[in-house]
Amino acid sequence: TIARIGTLASATVLAERLAEVEDPFQRWQVVEALGSLRGDICRSVDQRIVREQIHREAQRYLQTLADLSALGMPDKGQLEGPCISWGDEILEPSLVDRLLAERLDGHLRILFGLTAILYPPRDVWASYRSLVSGQVALRNHALEYLDNTLAGEIRRDMFAVIGDDSLENKLLAAERDFHIERRSLVGVVDHLLGEADRGTSDESHLTLAALYLVHTDRLEKLYGRVRELMESSDDPFVNETATWVGQRVGLQELS
């Protein structure tokens, strides 16, 4: 009994921690820890918190998808269900594209991990594997199962991510229902340039990749942001990369 009380307390702490954590890697660790608890203990977690986090993770997924769209993803790859497939398209995906696609995959995994807290985990994870398999028949089977199993706001939030709507229709619905921001290409890169100072696991890599994109795509509107990072970034890798980019775009000649 004492052990059970202790485990219940741990589940409560983990659920509360989940509501506080922003870093994707740490969020996945908390979700994984919750999912490893015994079934009855896992089901004791406050469902309100889990539902809120499902909505939050769907929102984060959709914002990342919108940012990828602004970077020109439709000319570089295609959306297959909730996943991006880079294929023989007009343009090659940049490092920023690929890193954001990895972040997208992370949001999807967390989303299913959260759903598996409230619904039979074996079936939920089987649906996840089918959705990311790249096989249309398996994906359709998973969608049918989830359509028949999920309910209410959870079903709405999940299908905003995993549904077979076109990219544009998904983003229009995301603007309406999740209040995502449709940024311009410059706006997306500007946002990524500010991420290194937010202290999460993947954001320094994205800032470095965004700096290189400023150089390769000659995004002159962001040269001032590069100068700021040259002069004030606390991250030595960001500072060094910003200086390298600045030298190559001629910032040393600007007043």
Side-chain angles (χ1 to χ4, degrees):
T1 302
I2 293 175
R4 177 179 171 82
I5 292 172
T7 306
L8 285 168
S10 297
T12 300
V13 169
L14 284 170
E16 292 173 351
R17 174 65 175 154
L18 182 62
E20 300 169 355
V21 173
E22 291 289 335
D23 175 74
F25 178 70
Q26 291 180 22
R27 280 176 69 78
W28 169 244
Q29 286 186 314
V30 174
V31 170
E32 192 175 34
L34 283 167
S36 69
L37 297 174
R38 208 173 67 200
D40 58 334
I41 301 295
C42 190
R43 287 190 294 273
S44 72
V45 172
D46 187 340
Q47 292 193 7
R48 177 186 55 84
I49 293 177
V50 179
R51 289 195 301 270
E52 288 174 354
Q53 293 308 307
I54 287 174
H55 181 79
R56 177 181 172 190
E57 204 63 40
Q59 186 177 44
R60 288 157 68 99
Y61 171 99
L62 292 165
Q63 182 63 66
T64 302
L65 184 63
D67 289 348
L68 274 162
S69 178
L71 291 170
M73 188 273 289
D75 292 329
K76 304 170 187 176
Q78 56 186 324
L79 195 61
E80 295 182 353
C83 302
I84 292 175
S85 173
W86 305 115
D88 299 326
E89 306 296 333
I90 300 171
L91 301 174
E92 284 287 327
S94 68
L95 180 57
V96 172
D97 293 319
R98 293 188 182 277
L99 289 174
L100 283 178
E102 288 180 8
R103 178 182 281 187
L104 200 73
D105 293 341
H107 292 319
L108 184 67
R109 184 173 63 161
I110 292 171
L111 192 58
F112 271 83
L114 289 164
T115 304
I117 295 171
L118 302 180
Y119 290 89
R122 180 177 296 178
D123 295 336
V124 169
W125 283 116
S127 297
Y128 169 81
R129 289 190 294 272
S130 293
L131 282 169
V132 302
S133 69
Q135 299 183 44
V136 175
L138 289 177
R139 188 166 74 240
N140 289 341
H141 181 74
L143 289 173
E144 182 180 2
Y145 166 76
L146 293 169
D147 189 27
N148 292 329
T149 302
L150 305 181
E153 293 179 354
I154 294 174
R155 183 187 178 282
R156 182 204 66 186
D157 292 346
M158 283 289 286
F159 272 82
V161 170
I162 68 175
D164 273 336
D165 290 336
S166 68
L167 174 62
E168 184 59 26
N169 285 342
K170 271 191 177 185
L171 295 181
L172 288 172
E175 281 186 285
R176 182 186 67 239
D177 299 331
F178 293 84
H179 309 293
I180 66 157
E181 182 181 357
R182 298 285 291 270
R183 304 179 178 117
S184 65
L185 184 151
V186 170
V188 171
V189 179
D190 186 35
H191 179 78
L192 295 176
L193 289 174
E195 286 202 343
D197 295 330
R198 299 187 185 112
T200 63
S201 60
D202 65 345
E203 288 172 346
S204 178
H205 296 93
L206 272 164
T207 297
L208 297 177
L211 279 165
Y212 189 68
L213 192 65
V214 171
H215 165 51
T216 57
D217 287 23
R218 289 294 189 266
L219 301 178
E220 296 184 12
K221 291 181 179 179
L222 296 176
Y223 286 180
R225 295 284 285 115
V226 174
R227 179 179 287 282
E228 290 175 13
L229 292 172
M230 290 169 60
E231 297 173 349
S232 62
S233 177
D234 294 329
D235 186 318
F237 294 107
V238 171
N239 181 271
E240 182 179 344
T241 305
T243 299
W244 184 89
V245 170
Q247 290 172 348
R248 279 151 183 78
V249 300
L251 286 185
Q252 72 276 12
E253 299 174 1
L254 299 180
S255 58

